[in-house]
Amino acid sequence: MSNGQGYTAGQCTYGASVIESWIPPGLGDADQWVSRAPSKGLKVMQTPTIGAAMTFTSSYPGSQGHGHVGIVTDIGPNGYPRIIEMNANRDGGGKGIFDSYQTTSRDVAYLAGYVVPANGPADGGVSQVTGSSLAG
């Protein structure tokens, strides 16, 4: 089952595309988003910004070689982003479940890049997934 954007329900890519409507179909697994983004009219940045899709490499722990993606909701005082993510097995998260996670230097070590719309970062749907909707 997919969400019409072609992302498998319950996976991190699905969750990101549900939160941010600017995410187009065809970006593939999370570890492919940075390389495919320009062909879809998107920009890739190395600086976190609210509303960006924070993508991680295929080496990211727990990603089973597919990378990981979450949407940046805040930038902490240490400069590390907080993300909303799906299909992460931490803090009660898991397949099909949204959770909010404060990234650390360990996560940023696996950063592939921040994907944003061509016209710049947007906080689009970030505000749609808050509070009780984080539970799924």
Side-chain angles (χ1 to χ4, degrees), residues 11-107:
Q11 299 297 330
C12 61
T13 50
Y14 174 90
S17 68
V18 166
I19 295 167
E20 291 292 353
S21 61
W22 58 262
I23 294 174
L27 288 175
D29 289 335
D31 66 330
Q32 299 170 318
W33 283 30
V34 165
S35 63
R36 292 183 176 182
S39 70
K40 300 289 184 179
L42 304 173
K43 290 191 311 188
V44 177
M45 302 170 30
Q46 292 301 312
T47 305
T49 186
I50 293 173
M54 183 178 190
T55 62
F56 300 95
T57 67
S58 60
S59 300
Y60 189 66
S63 72
Q64 300 176 335
H66 300 287
H68 188 59
V69 63
I71 302 298
V72 176
T73 60
D74 193 19
I75 312 296
N78 60 5
Y80 297 126
R82 174 170 286 281
I83 60 173
I84 290 178
E85 60 186 355
M86 182 176 274
N87 196 27
N89 292 315
R90 60 175 148 244
D91 300 330
K95 187 170 183 177
I97 301 171
F98 285 107
D99 70 81
S100 179
Y101 174 67
Q102 177 63 55
T103 62
T104 66
S105 59
R106 173 191 125 357
D107 302 294

